[in-house]
Amino acid sequence: MNETTVLATLGPLTLTAYSLLLALGAAAAIVLTALLGRKRLGAESTLSLCLAVIPGAVVGARLVYCLTMIESILVDFGGWSFFPKLWEGGFTLYGAILGGMLAAWLYARATHRQAAPLMDLLAPGASLMLCVARAAEYFTSQGLGDYM
């Protein structure tokens, strides 16, 4: 049921329609955030904010998934060695949101800014990324079928 649409394979790397759309969604979110933030923060600060939030979102998404699926991971997926293998999948949306918010808060603390305006600045780009990610799920065969 969860077949993916493979676009290209280059050695050990596989480019899927899902991953391509996620990359394009992230790029569009960064561009939107940069356009909205150039007057408030400046281009360089906005880009550094995005570069702080994206890894925070990825780590948060992975961490929350692994914590919620810990028993299954330890039994079925080889134990602790599964955690750093991001390419094997296993992320949660709410973990990404929490990780991104934590990263934005840490960025605000490190740069002596208020966190709330930074979160407001990130919200439109995050919403765009969410829309693209949900649409990309079409290519994973998830969210399709009679039950929908």
Side-chain angles (χ1 to χ4, degrees):
M1 169 95 179
N2 293 326
E3 304 102 22
T4 57
T5 305
V6 176
L7 301 176
T9 303
L10 301 168
L13 301 175
T14 302
L15 178 64
T16 64
Y18 179 73
S19 62
L20 177 63
L21 283 174
L22 287 182
L24 292 173
I30 291 170
V31 168
L32 178 60
T33 304
L35 290 173
L36 294 174
R38 66 183 166 185
K39 289 184 181 176
R40 283 198 239 172
L41 295 179
E44 189 174 309
S45 293
T46 304
L47 182 59
S48 66
L49 173 63
C50 290
L51 293 177
V53 170
I54 290 172
V58 171
V59 169
R62 181 63 168 193
L63 181 64
V64 171
Y65 174 81
C66 289
L67 289 174
T68 58
M69 300 295 292
I70 189 88
E71 291 178 11
S72 177
I73 289 169
L74 293 176
V75 173
D76 299 328
F77 295 112
W80 299 107
S81 64
F82 176 77
F83 291 102
K85 297 178 183 174
L86 299 179
W87 58 90
E88 290 188 8
F91 300 93
T92 60
L93 174 62
Y94 46 91
I97 292 169
L98 292 174
M101 289 175 65
L102 178 62
W105 180 78
L106 289 171
Y107 179 88
R109 297 279 300 194
T111 59
H112 307 289
R113 298 178 190 267
Q114 291 184 346
L118 296 180
M119 303 274 186
D120 288 344
L121 175 63
L122 291 166
S127 298
L128 175 62
M129 178 63 201
L130 177 60
C131 289
V132 172
R134 296 299 295 185
E137 288 179 2
Y138 172 81
F139 293 102
T140 64
S141 299
Q142 295 179 2
L144 302 174
D146 293 334
Y147 64 92
M148 295 302 286

